[in-house]
Amino acid sequence: MTGAPTVVLAHGVGSRHDLPLSPFYAYAGAFAALFVSFLALGLLWSASRFRGATAGHPLPAAVQRCADAPATRTALRVAGLAAALTVLLHLLLGPDDPDRNPAPGAVYVLLWVGLVPASLLLGPAWRLLNPLRTLHALLPHPRAPRPLPAGLGIRPAAAGLLAFAWLELAAPAPASTTALLGLLVVHTTVQFLGAARHGPDWFARADPFEVYSSLLARLSPLGRRTDGRLVLRSPFHGLDSTPRTPGLVACVCVLLGSTAYDGLSDNPRWLTTLQTSPLGPSTTATLGLLATVSLVAALYGLCAGTLRLMDRTLAHPLSAFAHSLLPIGLGYLVAHYFTLFVTEGPRTVMMAVGTDNALAPDPPLGPGGLATLQVAAVVTGHVLGVVAAHDRSVRLFPPARAVAGQLPLFALMIVYTLGGIGLLVA
């Protein structure tokens, strides 16, 4: 396998450092958007307005019946199994060349990136499509499942997300059939062993793709209320309903950090570092990925610690505001993977249906339009994060300290924004 195809699959946007974008205007616009939103919220938003899972306008009963019908759910499960079997056959029987085998594109583009729009439009789509959950439901279960440990949360999913990020961004040959088959074997083994011990609830806590889809679905306008009704809602209500489960901060920091590293990994200076490092490209990339995720987590931890110092009565400051990082992660995902999805996605589908020498379509946006989209996605994600953090702040802090209590979060948003913009224009 050649190096070039691997780079195309492993990095979302390509040569971001060539985008025709003035760093000054990008930074100035981002800072202005954050400052104006923070000021407006402080002046006009004095009480919490988000109601979490109790909010939403019910959809017609016919729509609910169709969505919950056994036939609908069975069709989705069959589709997930068929897609997984197709990928497996291509991995086992197809050539070890991502330009001729659609399996790498199916994993890194249609699955990883495709879950973003699917979850935003349809909710936690992977829960029904997940072939491992479907296979587990079809197998006999002679023993009663054991309860999941109370403190486990979604920490196993965070570890799985980090492992997948390593394979995509730091492994020696991420698009090789050997690497992808290894991923499939390890992932399947871990999930089936966990589900055999703890039942199907294991997937909701430990399957990285299911947790990833569920977190993104918090920003979907389609959701369910606590009474089970299918509703249309403001994404802020869904975001506010994010459970403060152990591992939430870890998952969000892995998403933010790995996507940020994806931006860094395309920087010419970092590419030179990888090629000249005495440790070798893969080891250096691994250290870079871990350092980026750790930096994101450390900055958030510093912010949470500052919040605790400002108000000793604030319980669980780490998880209290972790939901506000999800829009930022979504903004990073859109900025870094939009071009990959709209070009490599169709090419992967064409290869899967048997098209020889399938060529990726031209990007729908020119360099200027792409630069605008990327910066807008990053800035919008941070502004939405500021709104979510403000609403939570006025709920948790006394009125006299509600705005002041947001200052550490606002400073964190500025740092994340400047870092995200810097990765695009560097």
Side-chain angles (χ1 to χ4, degrees):
M1 184 185 67
T2 61
T6 300
V7 173
V8 170
L9 286 170
H11 303 101
V13 180
S15 299
R16 284 182 291 274
H17 50 276
D18 291 331
L19 293 178
L21 190 67
S22 166
F24 173 79
Y25 289 114
Y27 287 127
F31 180 80
L34 286 175
F35 181 77
V36 170
S37 62
F38 177 79
L39 184 62
L41 290 168
L43 293 174
L44 304 174
W45 197 308
S46 59
S48 176
R49 303 182 183 184
F50 303 146
R51 304 192 307 277
T54 64
H57 300 284
L59 290 174
V63 175
Q64 173 111 19
R65 286 194 299 269
C66 180
D68 292 339
T72 302
R73 293 172 176 268
T74 299
L76 290 173
R77 293 189 178 103
V78 170
L81 276 176
L85 179 61
T86 301
V87 172
L88 178 61
L89 291 176
H90 279 291
L91 287 174
L92 293 173
L93 306 176
D96 192 8
D97 180 358
D99 284 330
R100 298 166 54 214
N101 191 328
V107 174
Y108 293 124
V109 182
L110 298 182
L111 173 60
W112 181 246
V113 185
L115 275 178
V116 176
S119 301
L120 290 177
L121 293 174
L122 303 174
W126 192 247
R127 182 178 177 86
L128 287 177
L129 292 172
N130 188 348
L132 299 185
R133 182 184 279 272
T134 300
L135 288 174
H136 176 265
L138 296 175
L139 295 175
H141 307 294
R143 298 179 181 177
R146 298 185 181 182
L148 287 162
L152 182 68
I154 55 175
R155 290 190 177 105
L161 288 171
L162 183 59
F164 182 81
W166 175 83
L167 179 67
E168 181 191 13
L169 301 171
S176 69
T177 56
T178 301
L180 290 171
L181 282 171
L183 166 70
L184 182 62
V185 169
V186 172
H187 176 65
T188 301
T189 301
V190 170
Q191 296 306 314
F192 273 160
L193 288 177
R197 184 178 180 87
H198 298 292
D201 288 346
W202 171 261
F203 296 106
R205 303 288 188 91
D207 188 308
F209 303 108
E210 189 162 315
V211 170
Y212 169 64
S213 175
S214 297
L215 289 176
L216 293 173
R218 296 291 171 182
L219 289 160
S220 172
L222 188 66
R224 288 188 185 272
R225 291 191 316 209
T226 51
D227 60 3
R229 288 298 303 271
L230 197 63
V231 297
L232 287 178
R233 65 188 181 187
S234 164
F236 284 116
H237 292 302
L239 192 62
D240 188 64
S241 69
T242 305
R244 301 187 200 179
T245 182
L248 173 62
V249 174
C251 282
V252 176
C253 288
V254 168
L255 287 176
L256 283 173
S258 61
T259 310
Y261 177 76
D262 179 57
L264 172 66
S265 64
D266 190 59
N267 186 283
R269 285 171 289 185
W270 181 247
L271 291 174
T272 301
T273 300
L274 292 177
Q275 295 166 0
T276 58
S277 172
L279 298 176
S282 182
T283 301
T284 304
T286 300
L287 294 175
L289 172 63
L290 293 176
T292 306
V293 173
S294 298
L295 178 61
V296 169
L299 289 173
Y300 181 71
L302 178 63
C303 173
T306 305
L307 288 172
R308 186 60 178 269
L309 289 175
M310 296 177 65
D311 188 344
R312 295 286 185 176
T313 64
L314 180 62
H316 309 295
L318 275 175
S319 59
F321 293 92
H323 70 297
S324 66
L325 301 185
L326 287 174
I328 301 174
L330 175 60
Y332 282 12
L333 288 167
V334 172
H336 289 284
Y337 294 126
F338 170 79
T339 298
L340 179 72
F341 185 65
V342 299
T343 57
E344 290 297 319
R347 190 173 80 94
T348 298
V349 173
M350 286 188 288
M351 282 194 289
V353 298
T355 303
D356 292 328
N357 300 317
L359 298 177
D362 292 330
L365 299 176
L370 177 60
T372 301
L373 172 67
Q374 289 179 314
V375 173
V378 171
V379 174
T380 301
H382 283 82
V383 170
L384 295 180
V386 168
V387 175
H390 176 86
D391 188 86
R392 183 64 57 86
S393 179
V394 297
R395 183 187 306 170
L396 297 179
F397 289 108
R401 294 203 302 270
V403 175
Q406 295 177 68
L407 290 176
L409 286 164
F410 181 61
L412 178 69
M413 299 292 183
I414 291 177
V415 172
Y416 281 169
T417 302
L418 296 181
I421 298 295
L423 292 173
L424 295 175
V425 302

